[in-house]
Amino acid sequence: MKKWLLEKRWRILLAGFLTVALPLLGITIYVYLQVISQFKELGLEENQAFFNLAAYHLEERINNDISAGTIFASRPQIVEALKKGDTKTAGAHLRDLLQNLTAMERAAITLPKAVMFAEYPGNPEALGMDFSFRDWYQGVSKKWVPYVSDFFLREVQPRRYLFVIAVPIRDQTGEVAGVLVLQPKEDYLKNVLGPMHIGGSFIYAVDRHGDLIYHPEYRLDRIVDFSKIPAVDKVKRGITGTEQGLDPLHNEPIISTFQPVKWGWGLIMQRPVKEVFRRAREITVGLVLLAAAFLVLGGIVAYKGAGLLFSSHRLSLELREKEIYEREMKDELRTELDEHLRTGRKLAETMAELERSNRELEQYAYVASHDLQEPLRKITSFISLLEKRYEDSFDQEGVKYLHYVVDGAKRMQTLINDLLAYSRLGTQGKPFLRTDCNKVLDRILVDLDKPIKNRGAEITHDSLPILMADELQLGQVFQNLVANAVKFCRDRPRIHISAERGADGWLFSVSDNGIGIKEEFFDRIFVMFQRLHTPVEYPGTGIGLAVCKKIIERHGGRIWAESEAGKGSTFYFTIPDRQAGA
Ligand code: ADP
């Protein structure tokens, strides 16, 4: 499970991230789309509103000039001059008109059939010329209402492309008496449309053929056909609208707003896309930053969340592992405990068995030694009798044999006595009472007075403790150890007895300057009847140390020897603390 988690860690992290980041991203995109469309719409609306204003302004301007022309055309003196063929008067009026209409460059009056009648500034070449082929004439003569012409090349100097405003001149009866032709100055449209712009936008105008009438970036000394441009094509067909396209000059994305105006013209406002949607773009940048912030936030939240998830998971895994471990440990402990209990029970059984067989053995030894004593006593006493009464009857050899028998019997008696004493140790032991070891030692030193004096032994001891013990048996231990120390010595024995307080009892030591014991015999010497020497070398039965061991063990302590052959020995034994009555 843990491994699986680690393997899928990044996937989980990604899932967490996506869970947090995707909704945020979704919201951002939704807001973006909403805001963007709103702002685009706003941009376009702003465009349209301004454009309407520009179109209105242009129409107003031309209408004003048409009105001025119409008022002029209705002057009775003009009609009169026409009728009289008075070109001079007509010319003077035209001059007067041009002085008022500063946007006009030239004004002319033709006869009803488009023959040039008068012109200002005067141009003799044109006088009498028939202009009926001109669009302006065909336009104005259709219904005899004012007409704004297409773009065309002027006949007279300076030749240039231009449009004209044609206004019919009527007499009092309403009859058409002529046509007033107003030729705007070259910068007419520039003055009207040039200032009309917002930001990087500009407005251009086309005539009903799609030829440019005004464009801020074109010098119109020729016909510039814009009819292929989609916006122009639409406006030509009388369609109003907005569309996105490419600037024909700079290949830059643009928004074109187009609208047909009176007289069959079309106005097109062109504005760079980036400008129209500038605010939308600004908002986009803001939203992208916001989205990025959301993503980062999502990432952090996912990371932290996953971290939390992992740590809690790890914690639960660790807890589970711990639980399993504890359960295993408990099981193990239980098994171990069962094992111990079983072993304990077995041990107790073995102990009981051992005790029983020990008791039996002691009983047996006791009975055996006790029962053996009687026949042995008989043998000893009768051999003594035999020796006393018939010693003289035996030859020297016989006497020697008799001695051997007496000696063997005595020795056997000693052995049996020792064995008896040993077997009684367990059964005839006294309860442990407060025992002053100094007194015990003093008593046995009195008992051992004879061998001590014989050997001239020097015996010293520290102040010994008072402790809970079987006084008689403790005395036996001291007696055996001191007697051995005196016995197993070739020089004058120097013996020291000391006691030292341990953690839970007393440690006694009896050291001598005797013959010492080889290390390999350290254990053997405590076994019953085990001796390292013959009775001739050192008398004894080999039971002393076995007795000591049994007594010390009865007191719950331990006995051992430390020695180096020839350098004396030290016998140690411990007596653990025991409460009175225990
Ligand atoms: P016993 O003294 O009758 O021989 P013990 O059981 O007292 O029997 O001693 C067993 C043997 O341990 C002795 O025969 C002797 O060889 C050795 N031993 C005991 N005490 C000493 C000692 N102080 N120095 C050297 N050897 C000793």
Side-chain angles (χ1 to χ4, degrees):
M1 180 72 174
K2 198 172 176 182
K3 201 173 152 231
W4 178 86
L5 255 177
L6 277 176
E7 273 171 12
K8 305 274 181 215
R9 189 164 195 252
W10 291 110
R11 266 192 227 177
I12 290 171
L13 203 68
L14 185 70
F17 171 70
L18 290 180
T19 314
V20 181
L22 275 186
L24 291 177
L25 206 64
I27 292 169
T28 312
I29 289 171
Y30 175 75
V31 171
Y32 166 76
L33 291 177
Q34 287 294 314
V35 170
I36 271 304
S37 68
Q38 287 285 320
F39 270 88
K40 277 192 175 174
E41 227 163 81
L42 262 175
L44 292 177
E45 270 172 19
E46 179 194 60
N47 238 19
Q48 190 66 50
F50 181 77
F51 185 59
N52 286 344
L53 200 70
Y56 176 75
H57 181 57
L58 176 69
E59 280 183 359
E60 269 301 291
R61 187 61 217 271
I62 292 179
N63 277 340
N64 276 345
D65 288 331
I66 291 172
S67 301
T70 309
I71 291 166
F72 176 80
S74 61
R75 283 187 189 175
Q77 296 94 319
I78 303 286
V79 181
E80 208 171 299
L82 270 166
K83 286 209 168 137
K84 282 184 184 162
D86 182 359
T87 54
K88 211 171 164 192
T89 309
H93 275 281
L94 285 175
R95 192 185 62 224
D96 179 46
L97 173 69
L98 277 194
Q99 274 166 0
N100 290 320
L101 288 181
T102 48
M104 295 300 156
E105 182 182 72
R106 178 175 285 271
I109 294 173
T110 69
L111 295 174
K113 293 279 183 231
V115 174
M116 182 56 72
F117 174 71
E119 198 169 14
Y120 186 85
N123 185 359
E125 278 174 47
L127 279 180
M129 267 178 72
D130 182 357
F131 286 99
S132 59
F133 65 93
R134 283 285 188 218
D135 164 66
W136 58 258
Y137 179 73
Q138 284 161 15
V140 77
S141 62
K142 214 174 265 172
K143 289 181 184 164
W144 292 113
V145 287
Y147 179 75
V148 179
S149 82
D150 279 342
F151 220 46
F152 66 97
L153 182 66
R154 185 164 68 184
E155 286 297 319
V156 295
Q157 292 299 334
R159 281 170 73 95
R160 69 172 175 91
Y161 282 90
L162 81 167
F163 74 94
V164 297
I165 299 168
V167 180
I169 303 170
R170 293 173 191 275
D171 63 14
Q172 277 137 341
T173 61
E175 200 71 10
V176 174
V179 180
L180 170 69
V181 183
L182 296 173
Q183 292 182 12
K185 283 182 180 164
E186 198 172 4
D187 58 4
Y188 181 87
L189 285 176
K190 186 181 167 193
N191 287 339
V192 179
L193 296 175
M196 300 291 288
H197 67 87
I198 34 172
S201 75
F202 61 84
I203 294 172
Y204 63 92
V206 292
D207 66 14
R208 47 182 74 72
H209 298 112
D211 295 337
L212 278 184
I213 311 173
Y214 166 73
H215 194 295
E217 293 181 3
Y218 282 86
R219 238 186 79 80
L220 295 180
D221 49 2
R222 61 197 160 92
I223 292 289
V224 179
D225 184 5
F226 255 44
S227 62
K228 296 283 181 298
I229 288 168
V232 175
D233 178 56
K234 288 206 175 95
V235 88
K236 250 172 67 191
R237 289 189 275 129
I239 301 169
T240 300
T242 297
E243 67 178 24
Q244 205 164 321
L246 281 179
D247 175 19
L249 220 60
H250 308 295
N251 241 8
E252 177 191 17
I254 48 157
I255 295 280
S256 296
T257 310
F258 44 88
Q259 175 175 334
V261 280
K262 276 183 182 173
W263 326 294
W265 286 8
L267 276 190
I268 296 103
M269 183 166 95
Q270 183 177 312
R271 201 174 173 191
V273 168
K274 60 176 189 235
E275 193 184 292
V276 180
F277 299 144
R278 198 189 66 235
R279 253 175 293 168
R281 214 178 45 247
E282 283 168 6
I283 291 285
T284 309
V285 171
L287 281 174
V288 166
L289 287 178
L290 200 69
F294 276 161
L295 283 177
V296 170
L297 204 74
I300 292 171
V301 170
Y303 187 76
K304 290 272 177 209
L308 223 67
L309 191 80
F310 280 123
S311 57
S312 76
H313 200 87
R314 205 173 307 136
L315 214 69
S316 74
L317 278 178
E318 277 171 11
L319 273 174
R320 265 189 52 195
E321 269 173 17
K322 217 168 145 189
E323 246 172 52
I324 291 171
Y325 176 72
E326 272 173 9
R327 228 192 347 260
E328 281 173 3
M329 285 302 286
K330 261 186 203 163
D331 288 350
E332 218 167 275
L333 268 174
R334 199 168 299 133
T335 333
E336 238 168 67
L337 204 70
D338 287 350
E339 187 70 23
H340 278 309
L341 283 174
R342 256 200 309 280
T343 321
R345 264 199 302 274
K346 239 185 207 165
L347 207 69
E349 281 167 17
T350 317
M351 290 278 285
E353 179 66 20
L354 207 69
E355 225 164 83
R356 195 181 52 77
S357 74
N358 259 356
R359 254 197 319 274
E360 271 177 14
L361 218 66
E362 273 172 14
Q363 194 67 23
Y364 174 76
Y366 177 76
V367 169
S369 46
H370 187 267
D371 289 359
L372 278 175
Q373 256 182 342
E374 185 47 36
L376 191 62
R377 245 197 310 271
K378 226 175 227 171
I379 292 170
T380 322
S381 45
F382 278 101
I383 284 184
S384 295
L385 264 177
L386 203 66
E387 201 181 16
K388 268 185 202 150
R389 287 207 193 156
Y390 303 102
E391 198 181 7
D392 301 334
S393 315
F394 288 112
D395 60 9
Q396 218 172 355
E397 199 89 335
V399 171
K400 202 164 90 185
Y401 293 159
L402 208 59
H403 277 302
Y404 282 149
V405 175
V406 170
D407 202 45
K410 273 186 187 159
R411 192 166 157 68
M412 193 167 174
Q413 209 164 18
T414 320
L415 280 173
I416 287 172
N417 281 338
D418 282 350
L419 191 65
L420 200 61
Y422 182 82
S423 64
R424 277 176 185 156
L425 282 176
T427 50
Q428 297 188 354
K430 298 277 178 307
F432 299 144
L433 299 170
R434 263 173 67 89
T435 304
D436 184 348
C437 298
N438 298 296
K439 283 185 182 158
V440 174
L441 185 63
D442 289 345
R443 182 170 50 77
I444 69 108
L445 288 180
V446 172
D447 290 348
L448 291 173
D449 188 50
K450 204 173 159 194
I452 290 171
K453 285 224 167 101
N454 282 347
R455 298 298 311 274
E458 182 189 316
I459 300 176
T460 54
H461 69 90
D462 296 344
S463 164
L464 300 181
I466 295 172
L467 40 71
M468 298 297 292
D470 179 338
E471 192 179 324
L472 266 179
Q473 289 189 342
L474 192 62
Q476 248 177 299
V477 172
F478 279 126
Q479 180 156 16
N480 286 342
L481 294 179
V482 174
N484 279 349
V486 173
K487 182 165 65 178
F488 296 104
C489 188
R490 289 194 184 105
D491 311 318
R492 193 176 157 218
R494 276 201 314 280
I495 301 156
H496 183 74
I497 300 120
S498 68
E500 191 176 301
R501 181 75 202 145
D504 49 8
W506 287 92
L507 170 70
F508 290 85
S509 64
V510 178
S511 51
D512 61 47
N513 59 338
I515 58 172
I517 309 158
K518 284 188 185 161
E519 196 180 339
E520 65 215 71
F521 301 127
F522 282 176
D523 287 335
R524 220 171 100 183
I525 53 175
F526 292 98
V527 178
M528 199 162 43
F529 301 137
Q530 290 290 333
R531 310 195 69 237
L532 305 179
H533 311 276
T534 60
V536 181
E537 285 175 295
Y538 296 100
T541 56
I543 199 144
L545 287 181
V547 166
C548 289
K549 187 167 187 256
K550 194 158 185 186
I551 291 171
I552 295 303
E553 279 174 359
R554 188 179 162 237
H555 281 75
R558 218 159 61 78
I559 184 165
W560 69 98
E562 280 177 15
S563 171
E564 224 180 287
K567 289 191 180 167
S569 319
T570 303
F571 281 80
Y572 293 97
F573 65 91
T574 60
I575 303 283
D577 290 335
R578 190 172 274 107
Q579 296 301 313

